[in-house]
Every structure is written in structure tokens, then in C-alpha cells.
Amino acid sequence: MAVLLAAVPLTMLTFALYAAVAGGSPNRFEFTFDPLVLVAVIALIVVHELIHGFTWGLFSKNHYRDIEFGVIWKCLMPYCTCTAPLKKGPYILGGLMPLMVLGLIPLAYGIVTSTPGVTVVGMLMTLCAGGDVLIVIKLLRFRTTASDVVIYDHPTCGGSVVFTR
């Protein structure tokens, strides 16, 4: 629900920034729906999960053998999970990497170059990373005096489980 609530201000901010850079009104944002944008977004959702796997695989004990991909069909939600524990930093990096690569960088590029299609795709991919952002926020808020903290992806739900020692 929080992700959906964030969609409205993010969309408004995107259009306002686009208008400020492009020199016009947000009402003049011209974007004609193209089925290729939908195909691109679906393909980029798969790439989003691959980026999680690539990043976590760099830090995992058995590297890419610890990475699993799948789809929760009742929600039509693709996922990537790391079956081995990760330290907090690498887990957060892997969690945010799709946001940066597929969301924020294309969003900024689309705004700076006044390219509506790239702007929309960047905005949509930023919204697609909303769940990842919420997980990272929860991890950043978690405080402990333990010297050893590892994070496992939750085996049946979206999110993670933190173990301390």
C-alpha cells in the first residue's frame, strides 16, 4: 500500500521536473502509448530480477549457485532469491541495484534529454522497485549491537530475515 501511495508524488515530481527541464508545463508532457513500452517494461521486470541475482551472486558464498529465480503465479510476481546469508551491505546493494540501473538512471536521463518514453519507463521501473526500497528501509532502521549480522531472503514471503550473533 505504501508503494502505491508513493506513486502519486513520484509521478507528480517526475512531470514537474520534466517540465522544468524541457521548459514547459507538466500538462504539455506528450507521451503516446506505444505497445513497445509495455513490452519493454515487462522485459525490464525480468532484467530487474536478473540484476538482483547478479549483484547478490557477486557476494554470496557459492556465487551464482546460491541464486534462484521464479514466479509467484497467484500474484504474477517474478522474484529472485539468494539461498545463502549475505552481510547487510551486499544485501542492500543487491536490493537497490535495479532501482538505480533501471529506474533512477533512465529517469534522470529521460528528464535531462526531454525524452518522454525514457522518462516514463524510468518512472515505472522506479515504482517497480518500491517493494525493494521498503525492504531496504526496514533493514536500515534495524539496530543491533551484535557484531555479526546476516540476512537471508525469506523462503516463502517477500522480504528478508535478519540473524544476529
Side-chain angles (χ1 to χ4, degrees), residues 12-29 111 114:
M12 291 171 54
L13 177 63
T14 297
F15 289 143
L17 286 172
Y18 186 92
V21 172
S25 156
N27 298 333
R28 294 190 58 215
F29 183 89
I111 289 170
S114 300

Side-chain angles (χ1 to χ4, degrees), residues 111-129:
I111 289 170
V112 168
T113 62
S114 300
T115 311
V118 175
T119 303
V120 168
V121 169
M123 182 182 67
L124 290 173
M125 295 313 298
T126 299
L127 292 172
C128 286

Side-chain angles (χ1 to χ4, degrees), residues 2-3 6 48 99 124-137:
V3 173
H48 173 115
L99 168 68
L124 290 173
M125 295 313 298
T126 299
L127 292 172
C128 286
D132 298 329
V133 171
L134 290 176
I135 291 168
V136 168
I137 288 170

Side-chain angles (χ1 to χ4, degrees), residues 1-9 127 130-131 134:
M1 185 64 163
V3 173
L4 293 176
L5 292 175
V8 172
L127 292 172
L134 290 176

